[in-house]
Amino acid sequence: MDSESLLLSLELASGSGQGLSPDRRASLLTSLLLVKRDYRYSRVLFWGRILGLVSDYYIAQGLSEDHLAPRKTLYSLNCMEWSLLPPATEEMMVQTSVVKGRFMGDPSHEYEHTELQKVNEGDKVFEEEVVVRIKEETRLVSIIDQIDRAVAILPRGALFKTPFGPTHVNRTFEGLTLSEAKKLSSYFHFREPVELKNKTLLEKADLDPSLDFMDSLEHDIPKGLTSSPGSWSIQMERGNALVVLRSLLWPGLTFYHAPYTKNCGYIYVGTGEKNIDLPFML
Amino acid sequence: MEDSSSLKQEKENLERGEEGRPWYQMTAASSQDPRPALSEPPESEQGPDTGPRPQSSPLRSPRSGGSTAVDDLTGPGASSPPSPPQEPFSTPPPALSRQALAAPWQSVKTTGVIPEAVTPHTDPLKQSFDSGESIQQICQSKEDTFQQYQQTNGHLYEPRDVSCNDSKQKELRFDIFQEGESNSNYDLDEAEPEEAPSMLEIAVQSAKAYLLKTSSKSGLNLYDHLSNMLTKILDERPDNAVDIIENISQDVKMAHFSIKLDTLQNENEMLPTYEIAEKQKALFLQGNLEEADQELEDEIAENSLPNVMESAFYFEQAGVGLGTDETYRIFLALKQLTDTHPIQRCRFWGKVLGLEMNYIVAEVEFREGEDEEEAEEEDMTEERGNGESECEEGDEDDLPRSFYKAPQPVPKEESRTGANKYVYFVCNEPGRPWVKLPSVTPAQIVIARKIKKFFTGRLDTPITSYPPFPGNESNYLRAQIARISAGTHVSPLGFYQFGEEEEEEEEEEEGGKDSFEENPDFEGIQVVDLVESLSNWVHHVQHILPQGRCNWFNPIQKSEEEEEEDEEKEEEKEKGEEPDYIEQEVGPPLLTPISEDLEIQNIPPWTARLSSNLIPQYAIAVLRSNLWPGAYAFCNGKKFENLYIGWGYKYSPDSYTPPVPPPVCQEFPSGPEITELADPSVEEEQAFKAAQEAAVLPAKENEDTDEDEEEENDYD
């Protein structure tokens, strides 16, 4: 959610019970403004909150002029002092995939993981237990990146691609219509397209190059059938005045959009764990 | 262009014929141009495109002011009165100008026609009149239209000075000539290749199609609008049309009127927005409907409604909770619930998220005796179910019946006790009707522990799972509510205490304390203590045993009682198979501190913290369950509340594992009852016969009967 319209956004996203206490709100409003100034971001998003056992991580993201460029991620424990997180790498993801369970809330906490590694000593090959230490900060980076790739979404038309390449906020975006708001195909993943390149020419024929340049949600796995939802739950709340998408794969991510207005955004409040039991639960 | 040039020459011949000069002299003269006026007719002929421009004077000369025109024309040369050739002279330019306005190919054609009529003549002087006539004949039919064009053209180009300087005119003429030539060439070229027009045609068509696009607002299109504008301009012929083009456009638009066609059906939009607004309106109007003052007083005295807003305020400090407006709507919905049902105590339990809709859950306690009717109805249905199963058993005696008996169903707890202590109402949205959830059975709780499902938001959805869940989503929701309540409803130490009288009775009966009451002497606990030590929080909801009940039910005792009614043999057998005594399942008793809760793989089950580090003196203690994500509790020292907002499933760091399939039943052990002896052999039968015969004889004598029996036994 946009840091500048934080209060409205929080109000809209409150249907899932995920809010911020008044002191957190106030401090976020103050500190994100300073973050925007200091880091020279064109836009700062309040990304969400990862619940730790001891304390919570508050996450913000800075966007540059090109909205699809890699985002800078910051975290804070007290909503005032922000620290920049390093960009996520493949290596980190592999490394942290072995860690399970909850976050502690201490970035310097180290998870211990014992691995069996083959050690060559001369001719002999024997296995040895090696204790791998993984810092929680690394895991945080990796999890945020995974969530961003998987479930950060935007309504169709909120961004547009300029002829010169960079993507900007579409100032003429006036919100989805009601019928569009109920379809998964009107929402896009907020990331560089991956599946779009694999599409056939026939499928691309109807796409508007200035708007349809991102992957839409309708091909997410597990796919929703007409009767049962896949990895997303779409609900109309407050009559039809608000559409709320909740990710079932990453429970805790809530996307809200008020049709016919440009109010939209997403927030993640959760434990930072993927719901791998999803097929059992549907 | 040969034709046109020859035509020009002919014209000049016609013109100059009467003067008797040779035509080539005239061309030379005209090219040198001593007389500006004379140069114009050729120019008009040469340049079909711009033909009309210089003709302003020649055209008028025969009509309005013939003498002046003739003077102009023939100025320095021969000053002759209006002569016959003049007419033919004046007419060709219109013809050519018409050609200019017509399609290019047409112009080529007509120019071709005209010289044809002209070429036969050899004597310019004599034939000039005839040719002039012939041209006149050709053109006469359309003279009116030409004149109109000429007039408009003359009108438009009036300000242009005819007698501009020579050199300029010359240049202009040359240019025009070139232009005309190139135009004609272009036309010819264009006619030859066929691809070029098709491309152009497509472009023109697409442009036209674009212009014809009808606006969704006014129903107009630009093509019609432009043609209307041009028609208006041509009809009215205003001065300086270019300056007032905007106004003309506006006038045309305003002159256009549209009838809104009746589409037969009314556009009656019934959006769900309005529907729910209509329903929620009822919530807000409730207060006005109650007019009787006495009732109001009674209600205030009873006050079964919880102060939702107050606890919502504290939860907001903790960063939990729904939006302010939604909370208030729920508050009103709870008020509606307490007004319409005999409710003694009501509480906002929480919100369970679903795939299509969510559930808002209210926890209520009915007044004494007022919920019995409903409870009886439920019992009736269950009894019927049991009766059916009994009927099946009592029929056939011939074949062995199935010895398998379903494990003894554990009876559900009575309402107001155990897991059925409270009644739960749910609704999808505040304003929609409240639905009472059925009471929970232990079997449902046991199965619910083994499955993990999302709620859909519709209570009648069947739960498809392994192991099969007995009931639909309403039962599953109720079971999850019971589990969540048992796990996460906590209160600060000392707030509740055991009732003194009841305590003794229940200890005798159940072996556990079942009920509690508020401690009137509760003086509050320091918030800091609540955060620092989890032992200051206690469970005030009974633990649910693995059996699915809060209070232990011994399944063996009852099974014996039932079986006494049945045959006695079965009872003996089962007694042999089952252990005589199942160890009683015991859970933590009521009001146990949460510090004794089990850990989830090194993860503490609770997280406690202060709501604000900045102002700790006014902060509240916030408790978060790690076992049930979404369950929160707060305490500000005196007051406390529990709330659950979440998906309704339990946390586990490991992925969900479906329960293993039940063990396969062992076959009957192969023993003497199963195995058969080999068929009796011939020898045996013969021996048996012999023995029989031998036996018959002694039988008559009544001797040795004992031996026979012994022998028979041996055969067996």
Side-chain angles (χ1 to χ4, degrees):
Chain A
M1 52 180 63
D2 214 335
S3 64
E4 282 159 16
S5 58
L6 189 70
L7 294 184
L8 175 67
S9 306
L10 283 174
E11 181 69 19
L12 289 176
S14 63
S16 313
Q18 302 158 340
L20 285 175
S21 57
D23 60 330
R24 296 292 186 207
R25 288 184 202 191
S27 49
L28 279 178
L29 280 177
T30 310
S31 62
L32 288 181
L33 208 62
L34 294 178
V35 162
K36 187 177 174 182
R37 183 197 65 182
D38 294 342
Y39 289 90
R40 296 185 189 161
Y41 295 134
S42 73
R43 199 173 154 207
V44 175
L45 300 180
F46 178 60
W47 185 86
R49 178 155 73 117
I50 288 183
L51 307 174
L53 292 176
V54 181
S55 56
D56 298 345
Y57 292 105
Y58 293 85
I59 314 290
Q61 280 186 331
L63 298 182
S64 57
E65 277 300 326
D66 183 4
H67 275 61
L68 276 191
R71 285 160 257 179
K72 303 275 176 13
T73 309
L74 305 110
Y75 78 94
S76 167
L77 294 170
N78 59 0
C79 287
M80 278 321 281
E81 292 146 359
W82 293 89
S83 332
L84 195 63
L85 283 173
T89 59
E90 270 311 300
E91 191 191 350
M92 277 184 189
M93 203 133 97
V94 175
Q95 203 183 9
T96 55
S97 62
V98 294
V99 182
K100 285 195 292 186
R102 298 281 304 268
F103 280 87
M104 293 304 291
D106 173 16
S108 58
H109 178 262
E110 283 185 342
Y111 299 95
E112 289 185 358
H113 176 69
T114 52
E115 262 183 2
L116 287 176
Q117 280 190 345
K118 286 182 178 173
V119 181
N120 294 322
E121 271 190 20
D123 301 333
K124 292 178 184 175
V125 177
F126 58 93
E127 291 185 337
E128 194 183 338
E129 283 196 353
V130 179
V131 177
V132 183
R133 290 176 180 277
I134 300 161
K135 271 185 85 177
E136 183 157 281
E137 193 176 14
T138 321
R139 188 183 171 208
L140 187 67
V141 169
S142 152
I143 288 289
I144 292 172
D145 188 55
Q146 283 182 51
I147 295 176
D148 248 3
R149 283 177 189 281
V151 290
I153 56 171
L154 277 176
R156 179 179 183 273
L159 291 186
F160 80 102
K161 202 181 184 98
T162 54
F164 305 105
T167 350
H168 291 294
V169 175
N170 187 359
R171 289 180 195 283
T172 59
F173 177 61
E174 291 191 330
L176 299 173
T177 61
L178 268 183
S179 56
E180 283 173 341
K182 290 174 184 165
K183 287 185 216 153
L184 274 185
S185 53
S186 348
Y187 301 95
F188 287 140
H189 283 286
F190 192 12
R191 60 161 191 225
E192 286 286 348
V194 179
E195 291 159 33
L196 200 65
K197 293 162 194 160
N198 305 332
K199 278 192 171 179
T200 60
L201 279 176
L202 197 66
E203 288 170 311
K204 280 185 195 169
D206 293 336
L207 301 182
D208 182 348
S210 65
L211 295 181
D212 301 298
F213 54 92
M214 292 187 283
D215 290 332
S216 83
L217 285 193
E218 58 186 338
H219 301 298
D220 280 14
I221 297 170
K223 261 192 184 179
L225 301 173
T226 47
S227 55
S228 65
S231 53
W232 291 94
S233 137
I234 299 189
Q235 282 191 36
M236 305 301 294
E237 290 190 356
R238 306 183 187 187
N240 271 5
L242 185 69
V243 57
V244 175
L245 269 78
R246 296 193 177 94
S247 173
L248 307 181
L249 195 60
W250 290 93
L253 187 117
T254 309
F255 169 86
Y256 60 89
H257 173 55
Y260 304 116
T261 68
K262 50 170 67 178
N263 296 327
C264 62
Y266 60 91
I267 183 171
Y268 179 85
V269 180
T271 58
E273 285 168 292
K274 192 177 184 173
N275 181 17
I276 47 179
D277 306 331
L278 181 56
F280 292 109
M281 298 176 71
L282 290 174
Chain B
M1 281 314 285
E2 269 185 42
D3 291 340
S4 63
S5 62
S6 66
L7 180 74
K8 181 194 79 180
Q9 289 158 5
E10 286 303 324
K11 301 264 171 60
E12 286 180 12
N13 283 345
L14 293 175
E15 189 189 343
R16 299 295 153 211
E18 54 172 352
E19 290 175 332
R21 289 188 192 172
W23 61 269
Y24 53 86
Q25 279 182 350
M26 282 313 298
T27 47
S30 68
S31 67
Q32 285 164 7
D33 213 10
R35 297 156 296 181
L38 262 177
S39 70
E40 275 149 27
E43 186 182 287
S44 72
E45 290 158 34
Q46 285 163 356
D49 293 336
T50 51
R53 175 163 37 92
Q55 272 154 21
S56 54
S57 54
L59 180 76
R60 279 184 187 175
S61 53
R63 304 257 158 202
S64 54
S67 60
T68 52
V70 167
D71 285 345
D72 277 347
L73 281 166
T74 54
S79 60
S80 60
S83 55
Q86 202 171 12
E87 208 175 337
F89 157 74
S90 65
T91 41
L96 286 168
S97 72
R98 181 190 64 89
Q99 288 156 12
L101 288 163
W105 61 267
Q106 219 174 357
S107 76
V108 172
K109 195 179 156 193
T110 42
T111 46
V113 170
I114 296 164
E116 208 174 24
V118 177
T119 39
H121 66 232
T122 46
D123 186 5
L125 189 74
K126 193 184 178 185
Q127 298 254 329
S128 65
F129 199 78
D130 296 331
S131 67
E133 267 186 354
S134 68
I135 289 166
Q136 201 176 13
Q137 279 167 5
I138 291 164
C139 302
Q140 209 160 19
S141 60
K142 292 176 181 174
E143 201 173 18
D144 296 340
T145 52
F146 303 155
Q147 279 170 3
Q148 197 177 12
Y149 276 117
Q150 291 301 324
Q151 275 179 358
T152 56
N153 289 333
H155 180 77
L156 286 169
Y157 290 101
E158 206 171 31
R160 193 183 176 90
D161 193 8
V162 179
S163 59
C164 21
N165 60 28
D166 299 347
S167 61
K168 191 181 175 186
Q169 282 233 337
K170 225 154 97 179
E171 275 175 17
L172 197 69
R173 191 178 57 197
F174 186 67
D175 288 345
I176 286 163
F177 183 80
Q178 287 288 335
E179 200 174 85
E181 196 171 40
S182 66
N183 277 348
S184 64
N185 285 339
Y186 176 69
D187 289 341
L188 288 170
D189 288 344
E190 209 177 37
E192 282 173 17
E194 287 178 0
E195 300 95 313
S198 68
M199 289 274 286
L200 198 71
E201 214 169 298
I202 289 167
V204 166
Q205 274 175 0
S206 67
K208 189 176 173 186
Y210 167 72
L211 292 180
L212 277 168
K213 253 203 312 198
T214 309
S215 156
S216 58
K217 272 188 182 173
S218 60
L220 291 172
N221 67 57
L222 189 58
Y223 189 88
D224 287 347
H225 180 66
L226 286 176
S227 63
N228 287 343
M229 270 171 67
L230 289 178
T231 311
K232 188 180 168 73
I233 291 170
L234 292 180
D235 284 349
E236 297 178 1
R237 301 195 179 281
D239 294 341
N240 305 331
V242 68
D243 297 334
I244 58 166
I245 185 90
E246 293 87 359
N247 297 339
I248 291 171
S249 169
Q250 207 169 11
D251 287 349
V252 169
K253 273 191 183 171
M254 282 171 74
H256 173 89
F257 72 96
S258 64
I259 306 161
K260 188 156 176 15
L261 291 172
D262 198 356
T263 47
L264 291 176
Q265 283 187 339
N266 282 333
E267 296 171 6
N268 203 357
E269 267 187 308
M270 190 57 199
L271 292 173
T273 321
Y274 304 132
E275 191 194 340
I276 188 69
E278 187 68 33
K279 280 189 177 155
Q280 290 187 341
K281 188 182 165 192
L283 294 179
F284 291 96
L285 288 177
Q286 252 177 4
N288 302 337
L289 296 177
E290 295 168 15
E291 289 171 4
D293 292 336
Q294 298 169 349
E295 284 182 20
L296 201 65
E297 285 173 14
D298 293 344
E299 278 185 13
I300 290 169
E302 287 177 13
N303 197 19
S304 61
L305 190 67
N307 193 348
V308 175
M309 292 315 285
E310 188 189 9
S311 46
F313 166 76
Y314 286 118
F315 276 118
E316 194 193 347
Q317 307 299 307
V320 194
L322 310 166
T324 319
D325 61 333
E326 189 175 355
T327 313
Y328 199 78
R329 281 173 218 273
I330 291 170
F331 194 12
L332 289 174
L334 287 178
K335 182 172 188 298
Q336 187 191 40
L337 182 69
T338 51
D339 287 348
T340 51
H341 292 81
I343 286 167
Q344 190 182 15
R345 197 177 143 269
C346 177
R347 209 175 68 80
F348 175 44
W349 186 87
K351 183 176 180 180
V352 178
L353 302 177
L355 297 178
E356 294 162 32
M357 281 180 282
N358 307 319
Y359 292 114
I360 289 159
V361 184
E363 184 182 81
V364 304
E365 209 173 347
F366 282 112
R367 283 185 213 127
E368 287 292 336
E370 300 212 32
D371 57 332
E372 282 173 5
E373 288 177 15
E374 291 172 26
E376 279 175 13
E377 280 174 19
E378 283 174 13
D379 290 343
M380 286 292 283
T381 53
E382 279 184 16
E383 280 171 19
R384 269 178 233 146
N386 292 337
E388 283 170 15
S389 62
E390 282 171 14
C391 289
E392 286 170 12
E393 286 175 12
D395 285 338
E396 297 171 10
D397 287 316
D398 304 334
L399 298 170
R401 280 177 286 135
S402 169
F403 290 124
Y404 176 76
K405 287 190 83 181
Q408 177 64 33
V410 180
K412 69 175 182 181
E413 287 163 303
E414 292 298 309
S415 56
R416 294 175 178 281
T417 61
N420 286 326
K421 185 173 183 183
Y422 299 108
V423 179
Y424 293 90
F425 281 87
V426 295
C427 68
N428 291 123
E429 258 179 285
R432 292 192 193 279
W434 289 95
V435 180
K436 181 173 170 250
L437 289 179
S439 50
V440 68
T441 66
Q444 285 164 357
I445 289 183
V446 171
I447 300 290
R449 281 182 173 144
K450 294 181 185 165
I451 61 175
K452 192 175 179 187
K453 298 288 277 183
F454 275 123
F455 292 99
T456 62
R458 282 175 282 109
L459 283 174
D460 53 353
T461 316
I463 303 277
T464 50
S465 65
Y466 172 80
F469 185 78
N472 55 18
E473 192 168 294
S474 62
N475 299 100
Y476 182 51
L477 178 64
R478 181 64 186 80
Q480 291 299 88
I481 288 174
R483 295 177 65 203
I484 293 170
S485 305
T488 66
H489 280 192
V490 293
S491 54
L493 180 68
F495 189 85
Y496 288 118
Q497 64 180 11
F498 294 113
E500 289 166 6
E501 295 170 10
E502 291 171 19
E503 197 180 327
E504 294 168 11
E505 291 171 17
E506 277 160 20
E507 261 186 300
E508 289 167 13
E509 284 180 11
E510 309 277 352
K513 299 158 195 171
D514 188 12
S515 83
F516 51 84
E517 60 188 24
E518 276 187 37
N519 183 2
D521 303 327
F522 180 64
E523 288 179 348
I525 297 186
Q526 284 293 312
V527 170
V528 182
D529 295 341
L530 284 167
V531 172
E532 283 175 355
S533 169
L534 287 180
S535 57
N536 283 323
W537 295 88
V538 294
H539 286 282
H540 63 262
V541 174
Q542 278 185 298
H543 177 79
I544 300 182
L545 301 170
Q547 190 186 36
R549 287 168 58 104
C550 295
N551 302 314
W552 173 246
F553 166 80
N554 191 347
I556 292 166
Q557 286 176 356
K558 287 231 172 173
S559 69
E560 281 175 6
E561 285 171 20
E562 283 184 9
E563 279 160 10
E564 279 171 14
E565 298 163 10
D566 296 332
E567 299 162 30
E568 288 180 7
K569 291 175 189 174
E570 283 183 14
E571 190 189 342
E572 287 169 16
K573 276 184 188 174
E574 285 195 10
K575 267 198 170 180
E577 287 167 8
E578 288 180 8
D580 286 343
Y581 175 71
I582 296 178
E583 198 177 331
Q584 186 178 339
E585 291 169 359
V586 185
L590 211 54
L591 303 189
T592 310
I594 61 171
S595 53
E596 292 171 23
D597 282 7
L598 292 177
E599 279 192 346
I600 339 158
Q601 295 187 3
N602 302 325
I603 296 172
W606 295 94
T607 298
R609 67 176 63 135
L610 273 181
S611 65
S612 171
N613 295 321
L614 302 172
I615 313 171
Q617 58 267 39
Y618 294 116
I620 56 168
V622 181
L623 201 60
R624 185 162 76 203
S625 173
N626 294 328
L627 192 60
W628 291 96
Y632 294 86
F634 82 86
C635 180
N636 66 347
K638 290 253 182 195
K639 281 183 179 150
F640 79 97
E641 190 60 78
N642 296 288
L643 184 71
Y644 178 84
I645 303 175
W647 289 99
Y649 61 82
K650 197 171 179 172
Y651 173 79
S652 91
D654 296 319
S655 58
Y656 165 75
T657 319
V660 290
V664 178
C665 202
Q666 293 297 319
E667 285 188 25
F668 197 86
S670 159
E673 296 144 14
I674 303 291
T675 47
E676 292 181 353
L677 293 174
D679 286 345
S681 62
V682 180
E683 290 83 21
E684 283 173 337
E685 289 212 4
Q686 282 174 343
F688 177 69
K689 229 175 188 179
Q692 244 183 350
E693 283 169 5
V696 169
L697 294 172
K700 290 175 183 174
E701 297 164 7
N702 291 329
E703 287 177 5
D704 296 336
T705 46
D706 295 343
E707 288 176 14
D708 290 338
E709 286 175 6
E710 284 173 14
E711 281 173 7
E712 280 178 17
N713 286 341
D714 288 343
Y715 287 125
D716 286 337

